[in-house]
Amino acid sequence: MDNSRIDAGDGVLAARREGESRANAVPPGVEYHRVLAGDERRIGRGILAIVLLVGGMWAAILGFSVLAHWLDGVIGTPDTAPGRGPLTPALHAFGLVGNAVLLPWAMVIQRWLYGVPGASLHSVFSRFRFDLLTCALLIIAPAFVVLNVVSNYVLPSESTVWVQNDLLWILAATLVLMPLQAAGEEYGLRGLVFRVAASWGRGPRVSLFLGIAVSAAVFAAFHLAGDPWLYIWYFVLAVSTALITWRSGGIEIAVAIHVAFNTLSFVFAIALSTDLGAGIDRSTANAANGIALIGPALVVIATAIVVWIRTRATGPARTPLTS
């Protein structure tokens, strides 16, 4: 056997692997939202990525809702009940899972369409910084607790008598799955969509504007709300968390905000025996929603300002120059 041929073959294979590794590597020295940017804008590919992301989410939600209805039929769960209305524990749990699917799905889409590792959606360091998440939760969660107390005291919601089994299962699903639901939306919107839209811009400022505008529009649109006050809240949340993600170089603080708000809002609603059937109705304008969301909006904006000030000297975090 000719050893020279073996050596040449090994060299070609090594070069090919090195080329693939470079093609799939996260670009060094770039900001979070510019990771997918290149010489070409690839607008068609970006639109496909967004369609796949949102379509995959709705497909998962609809698929899981069918499964939830089947499960309710098997165990004999009534269609409606005091407190929860038509929202059965199974529908609540599987609906949260449908949103949580966005987390791995966003990573798959990014890897498939752009060749960039899914782990890069965590942060510019391609890892999730749990220390940063913990610090953010220790500050943000108490603020939302206070806001929930004040809001429910000033604007008490309609209460009703819950069926105990419903109460226990919906509470359990909220505590276990709501954080995953919130994280899924952040990875999908402030992660993938933010990056995809930002890659359409030539310069960093245009990229940032496009990333924030498109991700905010998609985030608001897929909530399908008819209340304009809620759309204002979605806009404030989307813009603030996108800015935070950009400046901090990762998704962790945005996840902390979304998890704390969603989870605590539901926990307080359940603890106060709120009528969820009426509370989850987003089809009509409700001035009470606008008043109740002033506090959370201020907390989110204040967090963005603090992150900006803390990174003023260093600028936004960038991907490491060396792995």
Side-chain angles (χ1 to χ4, degrees), residues 177-220:
L177 299 175
M178 188 70 80
L180 297 177
Q181 173 265 338
E185 291 190 5
E186 289 305 314
Y187 274 84
L189 278 299
R190 257 64 71 183
L192 183 65
V193 177
F194 185 30
R195 282 181 167 180
V196 165
S199 72
W200 298 339
R202 292 298 188 189
R205 291 185 179 180
V206 175
S207 292
L208 183 62
F209 173 79
L210 286 174
I212 293 175
V214 174
S215 61
V218 175
F219 179 68

Side-chain angles (χ1 to χ4, degrees), residues 41-52 109 113-114 192-193 196-197 199-200:
R41 296 185 182 183
R42 299 179 289 184
I43 296 177
R45 185 177 304 187
I47 293 174
L48 175 60
I50 295 172
V51 170
L52 286 173
I109 293 173
L113 295 181
Y114 293 91
L192 183 65
V193 177
V196 165
S199 72
W200 298 339

Side-chain angles (χ1 to χ4, degrees), residues 257-314:
I257 291 171
H258 208 147
V259 168
F261 177 79
N262 282 13
T263 305
L264 289 171
S265 296
F266 247 89
V267 168
F268 268 85
I270 295 170
L272 295 172
S273 299
T274 300
D275 186 349
L276 291 182
I280 61 175
D281 182 15
R282 303 173 178 175
S283 60
T284 57
N286 186 350
N289 285 333
I291 298 173
L293 291 170
I294 291 175
L298 292 176
V299 169
V300 173
I301 293 171
T303 304
I305 293 173
V306 170
V307 171
W308 190 292
I309 293 173
R310 292 291 299 271
T311 58
R312 184 172 51 185
T314 60

Side-chain angles (χ1 to χ4, degrees), residues 39-237:
D39 295 333
E40 299 180 359
R41 296 185 182 183
R42 299 179 289 184
I43 296 177
R45 185 177 304 187
I47 293 174
L48 175 60
I50 295 172
V51 170
L52 286 173
L53 181 80
V54 178
M57 180 197 71
W58 280 112
I61 290 174
L62 293 174
F64 282 123
S65 69
V66 172
L67 182 59
H69 281 297
W70 172 82
L71 182 60
D72 285 334
V74 170
I75 62 180
T77 304
D79 292 336
T80 60
R84 64 167 171 82
L87 185 69
T88 68
L91 279 172
H92 179 54
F94 284 120
L96 296 177
V97 173
N99 283 102
V101 166
L102 284 176
L103 199 162
W105 184 225
M107 293 184 175
V108 170
I109 293 173
Q110 179 177 266
R111 182 72 188 219
W112 177 34
L113 295 181
Y114 293 91
V116 176
S120 72
L121 283 173
H122 296 314
S123 70
V124 292
F125 305 103
S126 292
R127 60 179 174 82
F128 192 87
R129 295 167 291 180
F130 285 98
D131 55 340
L132 186 57
L133 173 75
T134 303
C135 290
L137 283 174
L138 288 175
I139 297 172
I140 295 167
F144 281 139
V145 169
V146 172
L147 288 175
N148 272 285
V149 171
V150 173
S151 177
N152 283 286
Y153 180 80
V154 175
L155 297 169
S157 302
E158 182 180 351
S159 298
T160 187
V161 178
W162 278 75
V163 175
Q164 188 175 28
N165 286 343
D166 288 345
L167 179 68
L168 291 174
W169 285 114
I170 289 182
L171 178 60
T174 298
L175 292 174
V176 175
L177 299 175
M178 188 70 80
L180 297 177
Q181 173 265 338
E185 291 190 5
E186 289 305 314
Y187 274 84
L189 278 299
R190 257 64 71 183
L192 183 65
V193 177
F194 185 30
R195 282 181 167 180
V196 165
S199 72
W200 298 339
R202 292 298 188 189
R205 291 185 179 180
V206 175
S207 292
L208 183 62
F209 173 79
L210 286 174
I212 293 175
V214 174
S215 61
V218 175
F219 179 68
F222 77 57
H223 280 86
L224 302 177
D227 188 344
W229 295 110
L230 290 177
Y231 278 111
I232 294 174
W233 160 244
Y234 297 144
F235 176 80
V236 171
L237 178 62

